Amino acid sequence: MKCPICNHERMNDVYSMEQVPYSVFWQDDKIIPTIDLVASMCDTCTLLFQKSAYVSNEYDAVMQKVYNAYQIMDSSIRPFPISEDSIGYALKFLSDTVDFSHIINVLEIGSNRGDFLYHLKFRFGHINIIGIEPSNLDFVGVPTVRAFFSRNIFSNKFDLVIVRHVLEHIKHPVNFLNDIKAILVEEGKLFIEVPNTRNDLMEKIEVFTPDHICYFTAQSMNRLVEESGMSLLAMRDEDGVPLMVIMSNAVTRETHNSCDNCKETRALIGEYRKSMNDTVRSVKELIDKGYRIIF
């Protein structure tokens, strides 16, 4: 197969785990489907991606059902609108980078309940906001189209499109960005936020999950900007926060991609793999001693 970003065929498998449950949001059936997860790394653009998502015959159908059942922001558990550091970081980065005096129409793809759009509207009262969200949520707090994103849904164009913690779920990110470009005004802005894979590997948190297909670092995100034909305006790549990028639908400026950090990423994956194996071993030892594991 080819890299989802740069289309090169030079890649190596770097991580695998057997029989991983697709999602904790699986409903209706007694048996939760699993996948033998395999992650690969492109030698050309450094993208880490879940190869198993492309070779599994059932992946798309299973994930369609998972996304329809997402209830992570149930209003009975988390009152609307939430106010947390992750929203504050994103709002500040976006506000410091984009001149909102020229922003009128704003779309968020994967808006969930609309918490982020609500806070953005509160800060910039003159903007028009709308979200698009496929999950069958019991409540949304902003105008929302209940559907998967398609460029054909909207007849108007937007000054700003927001994509927070969605791109890592997309199998063909370049095509996805091209669809977004089609609904942006000339020199419109795109704000993307994804998990920072480098940080997650260093912190030994769960990185390789079935619903995440692409695992971005600054290097692979830079290459994605290049392949999409957009211009990079700003990137926030810091410890402790997600990777945040603002692009422009303007004439492409030169971007820089380097494999200087390939060796570092591979080393981090090795440390991560050891940590996960040690954790599994510890859990098995506890079970053998008669302990019950409660999550």
Side-chain angles (χ1 to χ4, degrees):
M1 63 171 294
K2 296 181 179 180
C3 170
I5 288 183
C6 70
N7 276 328
H8 284 275
E9 297 179 354
R10 295 191 301 271
M11 61 192 69
N12 293 287
D13 295 347
V14 294
Y15 187 83
S16 63
M17 183 175 291
E18 296 181 352
Q19 295 185 322
V20 183
Y22 272 89
S23 173
V24 297
F25 296 102
W26 189 260
Q27 296 181 355
D28 300 331
D29 298 333
K30 293 181 179 180
I31 299 176
I32 301 175
T34 63
I35 186 171
D36 292 338
L37 190 149
V38 178
S40 297
M41 183 175 183
C42 176
D43 290 343
T44 303
C45 71
T46 76
L47 177 70
L48 277 167
F49 63 98
Q50 186 202 152
K51 185 174 74 173
S52 44
Y54 299 86
V55 299
S56 168
N57 293 327
E58 66 173 3
Y59 183 85
D60 291 341
V62 172
M63 289 312 304
Q64 176 94 18
K65 186 171 183 178
V66 169
Y67 292 136
N68 288 337
Y70 259 12
Q71 294 291 337
I72 196 168
M73 296 289 284
D74 190 292
S75 60
S76 65
I77 301 173
R78 307 185 75 179
F80 181 90
I82 58 170
S83 297
E84 54 187 27
D85 290 343
S86 61
I87 285 182
Y89 293 144
L91 282 173
K92 185 178 189 310
F93 178 68
L94 189 55
S95 302
D96 289 347
T97 309
V98 174
D99 181 1
F100 270 84
S101 65
H102 299 292
I103 302 295
I104 302 297
N105 296 317
V106 179
L107 167 70
E108 182 175 7
I109 300 173
S111 53
N112 210 284
R113 303 183 310 180
D115 298 79
F116 187 78
L117 283 177
Y118 181 93
H119 285 287
L120 193 66
K121 174 72 174 178
F122 185 82
R123 182 171 296 196
F124 302 103
H126 68 282
I127 64 174
N128 303 316
I129 58 171
I130 188 169
I132 181 165
E133 170 61 45
S135 302
N136 186 26
L137 301 172
D138 65 338
F139 166 83
V140 291
V142 302
T144 303
V145 178
R146 299 295 190 99
F148 285 94
F149 169 69
S150 167
R151 64 193 292 179
N152 300 319
I153 290 178
F154 303 98
S155 57
N156 62 305
K157 294 198 173 185
F158 296 91
D159 304 293
L160 171 66
V161 173
I162 297 167
V163 182
R164 297 183 66 236
H165 295 276
V166 170
L167 191 63
E168 62 269 25
H169 300 264
I170 302 299
K171 290 180 74 171
H172 304 289
V174 176
N175 293 344
F176 183 70
L177 262 59
N178 285 335
D179 285 343
I180 293 175
K181 285 173 62 179
I183 62 168
L184 280 173
V185 300
E186 186 177 355
E187 298 193 12
K189 306 299 188 295
L190 169 61
F191 171 44
I192 291 177
E193 180 179 336
V194 294
N196 190 323
T197 299
R198 179 180 179 275
N199 289 349
D200 291 349
L201 288 170
M202 292 180 66
E203 294 174 10
K204 308 295 190 299
I205 70 170
E206 191 172 33
V207 176
F208 301 107
T209 62
D211 58 328
H212 287 188
I213 299 174
C214 295
Y215 312 100
F216 289 100
T217 63
Q219 288 71 35
S220 55
M221 181 61 73
N222 211 353
R223 183 59 180 263
L224 176 60
V225 175
E226 181 180 309
E227 294 292 334
S228 70
M230 301 185 76
S231 298
L232 179 64
L233 298 182
M235 178 184 293
R236 184 175 182 183
D237 175 25
E238 301 174 10
D239 294 343
V241 295
L243 184 64
M244 289 180 272
V245 180
I246 296 178
M247 310 177 191
S248 172
N249 194 23
V251 177
T252 304
R253 295 195 293 269
E254 182 181 1
T255 59
H256 301 279
N257 185 67
S258 170
C259 281
D260 292 343
N261 289 330
C262 287
K263 292 182 179 179
E264 180 195 29
T265 302
R266 292 182 187 279
L268 288 173
I269 292 172
E271 295 172 6
Y272 175 87
R273 185 189 301 110
K274 182 180 183 303
S275 175
M276 295 299 106
N277 290 339
D278 289 346
T279 300
V280 170
R281 189 180 304 109
S282 297
V283 170
K284 288 182 177 178
E285 289 175 355
L286 290 171
I287 292 175
D288 290 342
K289 292 178 181 179
Y291 288 91
R292 295 173 60 203
I293 307 301
I294 301 175
F295 292 91

